[in-house]
Amino acid sequence: MHRFANPARFTRLADRVLPFAAAGAVVALGVGFYLALFEAPADYQQGESVRIMYVHVPSAWMAMFIYVAIAVASAVALIWRHPLADLAAKASSPVGAGFAFLTLVTGSLWGRPMWGTWWEWDGRLTSMLILFFLYLGHMALLNAFEDSQRGYRAAAILALVGVVNIPIIKFSVDWWSTLHQPASVMRLDGPTIHPSMLWPLLIVAVGFKLYYLTIALLRIKSELIAARLRALDLATVKAAEVQGQTARG
Amino acid sequence: MRGLALIVARDLRLALRQSADAWLAVLFFVLTAALFPFGVGPEPNLLARIAPGIIWVVALLAVLLSLERLFLADFEDGSLEQLLLSPLPLELAVLGKVLAHWLTTGVPLIAAAPLLAILFNMDLSGLGVLLLAMLLGTPTLSLVGAVGAALTLGARRGGVLIPLLVLPLYVPALIFGVGATDAALLGLTARPHLLLLGAVLLVMLVITPLAGAAALRQAVE
């Protein structure tokens, strides 16, 4: 695994994957949104506003998926001290926060015509809000220390403690019977949603995953470049110091 | 076990010598709760209905107020490093510190809760469940808070960071704590809520000393 701790090797691999991930994301999101907006039928009860679902549900999946990914990366970073895992966790949390925010906003927009309220303190909405705050805490803790290594370590521990909340979010719709509808895709007895609606949903979900992969790889790459720049700066300063000393001495 | 008792005894002695700190949390608890009748109006029925929620939220904030001190003094005067060097497992030391923190903030809050219940005109039939729920819930607040306090040692703006890290993780304790009291007030059984509170406490009792010790190690490193 430490083979990929080498920045040059990682960058080469990332450069090879990136075009496919980016192109895949564009194609999947294009096809997915086309199917969702034009081909999928309007819901017999919810009408056209059901199309919000094709953004709302995949971003909710992504918000939870990315938090689990951060927790896994954090565990790897803490156990094997793998430097790329730290960077992966750092690269992921703003993306996850973005998806959590998108879930909350689209949920609110959907809730207004469906439930007649922008916001309802039901289990799933509340736990998604908490997930959003967990992301914010993770980002704040990462940037709170002079020494970036300390920030990585602290944020990794926080991510592992916070992952307890993920099952609560996942099952909240089954445990609390409030306004939110129960799970209809990820069920043991198979999805209860018609294929004409399921397919666009899954394609958009794949598109979001590829988008996340693209962004994460780009952000890790830029972190590596930033680290190299810092090292160069430090070397220049040190060289100038040495020169000054020899000139004086 | 002896090391754990020593740490608890030391922290309790320190807290007694500077008893102003412990009083501050209780004072904050009562004072902030007293603001609610001004904020929502003095209508007795309304106050009685929201009393459990207010008591829980205010207790949460009072605990939050006392968290920054939890490791900071030891971190600054170097006793934290001594703790790390001692043969006592650091996880046990964290547990000792948490226990002392709970005894000096959680227990006084529980003792002050009946006062607030009376002030808010709460139906006293629910008082027993409220106290039981707080007895199960406040140790969770101390345990989770200790992780937040340990993580922010030496951070810029550490005091501002702690609420951001800790409050989201407090929500389960709050939900089940208020749920238990509300159920009792409605004449339903509070058992499931209390069991869930106990379950949260047990999970946190396992996770947080590990996380807290890991956080302290990297803070001192």
Side-chain angles (χ1 to χ4, degrees), chain A residues 113-129:
Chain A
M114 290 307 111
W115 302 338
T117 169
W118 293 108
W119 182 259
E120 174 74 26
W121 289 100
D122 90 323
R124 187 153 263 188
L125 271 67
T126 317
S127 43
M128 186 51 80
L129 185 67

Side-chain angles (χ1 to χ4, degrees), chain A residues 85-140:
Chain A
D86 280 329
L87 291 181
K90 184 180 185 181
S92 298
S93 64
V95 188
F99 276 117
F101 185 71
L102 193 63
T103 310
L104 289 170
V105 171
T106 51
S108 177
L109 289 174
W110 197 4
R112 184 64 201 159
M114 290 307 111
W115 302 338
T117 169
W118 293 108
W119 182 259
E120 174 74 26
W121 289 100
D122 90 323
R124 187 153 263 188
L125 271 67
T126 317
S127 43
M128 186 51 80
L129 185 67
I130 293 168
L131 184 66
F132 179 58
F133 287 136
L134 283 177
Y135 275 123
L136 294 188
H138 186 257
M139 282 153 68

